[in-house]
Amino acid sequence: MGERVASGAAVTPLVDTFGRVHRDLRISVTDRCNFRCTYCMPEEGMQWLPKSEILTFEELERVARLMVERFGIDSIRLTGGEPTMRAHLPVLIEKLAALPADLALTTNGATLRLVAHDLKAAGLQRINVSLDTFRTDRFQAITRRDDLARVLDGIDAALEEGLNPVKLNAVVMRGVNDDEIVDFATFGREHGVQVRFIEFMPLEAGEWWTNDAVVTFDEIVQRVTDVYPADPMPHGHDPAARFAYRDGKGSFGVIASVTQAFCGSCDRVRLTADGKFRNCLFALDEYDLREPLRSGASDDVLAEIIQRAVHNKWAGHQINNVHFIRPKRTMSQIGG
Ligand code: SAM
């Protein structure tokens, strides 16, 4: 059944065999990163994709346009690696901002002070900054970089530029940073940013993830609301379950990918920097779009590959199942 987009053309929603309609596209623009977070990458020895294997801006725009115009995708998020490491990123933002879809970016924030203005001017609307601690020594231990002050300043820069909302994503790991949960809530309330706590997922390079390292949704909510009473908000397709502070000072969210997987309402698909289409972060299969893009394939051919990928989407990830198999690539290579 066709809906209509601004151009007037009929759209065919991307529906999988479980009836999930896909409206959200995550595009990784680079596999490179200026951090080496212990839960994501090894300290040394990452093999970066050669430039020739990375989709060009024109190729990215073509896929994004097809997704929006043909399949009704209405939300695009740029990620990586670290997306701000992709040269001339504002040029891509300008191209994508022209599409009738919400456009957002996820960044580690280290260079935000330098780029926030250009990103906003190019048409970026909202931004998520990843930050897991407010302690300098801990920041260094987690990211293997000494950039805490820069990230905090980057958050200020995003707010000053009027990016709205500015969200702060924190991966909570037991024994690593779980004693800062309330500090995060306090920071969010004081700075007008929405904090989203993320359960630690088994996608890290060192494979040190265990179930015990996951600080659960229930625990996070309890710890925040013990100090700042809050009530659940209606839950849509956003992976974060949100809670509004009773005193009106904003809200916080929890992304419980492990203990309360939201696969049943997942509306997300992904494109890696090297042009592989993925139907899930944890999928074991990828569908190559780069070769067809570069050998002159028509939009119909690309659309058929995308529809096949969505058709083959599993009911849900298997993290809590003994049969769980990690994807071959880490979060930074897939695009977190
Ligand atoms: N460099 C950008 C950033 O820092 O936001 C974008 C890419 S990063 C891979 C995207 C998000 O994935 C970050 O918030 C990061 O903390 C999160 N992440 C990476 N590995 C993770 C894991 N094993 N479990 C949970 N979240 C993870």
Side-chain angles (χ1 to χ4, degrees):
M1 242 191 308
E3 295 172 22
R4 301 214 164 251
V5 284
S7 66
V11 303
T12 310
L14 271 177
V15 187
D16 68 12
T17 55
F18 300 94
R20 293 172 295 198
V21 180
H22 294 77
R23 300 222 179 261
D24 186 279
L25 172 66
R26 264 186 182 222
I27 300 178
S28 173
V29 296
T30 179
D31 60 327
R32 290 171 196 246
C33 191
N34 41 358
F35 284 8
R36 292 290 179 278
C37 298
T38 49
Y39 57 74
C40 191
M41 283 185 173
E43 184 163 14
E44 306 276 355
M46 283 297 291
Q47 297 288 319
W48 308 123
L49 291 164
K51 193 167 174 224
S52 61
E53 291 185 15
I54 301 271
L55 293 194
T56 64
F57 286 173
E58 289 68 29
E59 289 165 339
L60 289 171
E61 185 196 11
R62 181 166 171 212
V63 176
R65 179 175 294 282
L66 183 73
M67 295 294 285
V68 170
E69 292 183 349
R70 189 172 293 216
F71 295 127
I73 287 286
D74 59 15
S75 164
I76 297 176
R77 174 172 297 278
L78 301 181
T79 182
E82 171 48 40
T84 59
M85 291 196 68
R86 177 83 188 242
H88 313 298
L89 185 65
V91 175
L92 176 66
I93 302 244
E94 204 170 331
K95 289 178 189 292
L96 300 184
L99 299 173
D102 183 73
L103 183 63
L105 175 91
T106 298
T107 174
N108 61 30
T111 62
L112 249 190
R113 170 61 68 188
L114 303 176
V115 298
H117 177 77
D118 289 350
L119 296 178
K120 179 77 185 350
L124 187 69
Q125 294 145 10
R126 46 173 74 230
I127 200 157
N128 285 15
V129 181
S130 303
L131 175 67
D132 306 318
T133 179
F134 296 108
R135 304 192 190 173
T136 311
D137 53 340
R138 212 174 253 186
F139 185 95
Q140 206 153 8
I142 294 174
T143 66
R144 302 183 173 113
R145 295 291 182 270
D146 187 15
D147 281 334
L148 176 59
R150 272 191 208 96
V151 175
L152 293 174
D153 187 44
I155 293 171
D156 284 342
L159 290 165
E160 287 160 24
E161 283 301 330
L163 286 161
N164 187 19
V166 176
K167 295 184 184 170
L168 201 162
N169 288 348
V171 179
V172 187
M173 294 159 281
R174 194 175 306 285
V176 176
N177 63 348
D178 56 324
D179 54 345
E180 292 187 68
I181 289 173
V182 173
D183 297 346
F184 271 98
T186 306
F187 181 91
R189 290 163 53 86
E190 288 176 355
H191 289 77
V193 305
Q194 191 200 118
V195 172
R196 307 189 330 158
F197 299 98
I198 304 176
E199 285 182 350
F200 180 31
M201 294 183 282
L203 272 169
E204 83 295 1
E207 302 206 2
W208 52 274
W209 183 92
T210 63
N211 249 309
D212 292 341
V214 179
V215 181
T216 65
F217 171 94
D218 289 342
E219 213 175 324
I220 293 169
V221 172
Q222 187 70 52
R223 290 214 219 165
V224 175
T225 54
D226 275 352
V227 180
Y228 301 120
D231 298 310
M233 296 169 71
H235 201 352
H237 282 287
D238 185 345
R242 290 174 59 198
F243 296 80
Y245 295 118
R246 284 193 193 146
D247 63 5
K249 286 196 173 172
S251 64
F252 72 96
V254 184
I255 303 182
S257 325
V258 180
T259 65
Q260 299 190 11
F262 36 84
C263 305
S265 62
C266 178
D267 67 345
R268 187 172 288 181
V269 288
R270 296 169 182 272
L271 181 65
T272 66
D274 55 348
K276 312 286 186 232
F277 192 88
R278 295 178 65 93
N279 57 28
C280 173
L281 191 52
F282 292 95
L284 300 176
D285 295 322
E286 298 184 331
Y287 299 77
D288 185 39
L289 290 180
R290 190 183 65 208
E291 195 281 326
L293 274 167
R294 293 186 179 176
S295 58
S298 65
D299 280 0
D300 286 347
V301 169
L302 299 177
E304 192 274 324
I305 296 170
I306 291 164
Q307 280 173 310
R308 185 154 41 87
V310 171
H311 179 83
N312 290 342
K313 185 162 172 159
W314 294 347
H317 69 58
Q318 303 290 314
I319 295 177
N320 297 309
N321 186 318
V322 282
H323 302 300
F324 174 65
I325 301 170
R326 283 165 186 265
K328 287 198 195 76
R329 307 213 259 181
T330 64
M331 190 86 146
S332 68
Q333 294 163 324
I334 295 169

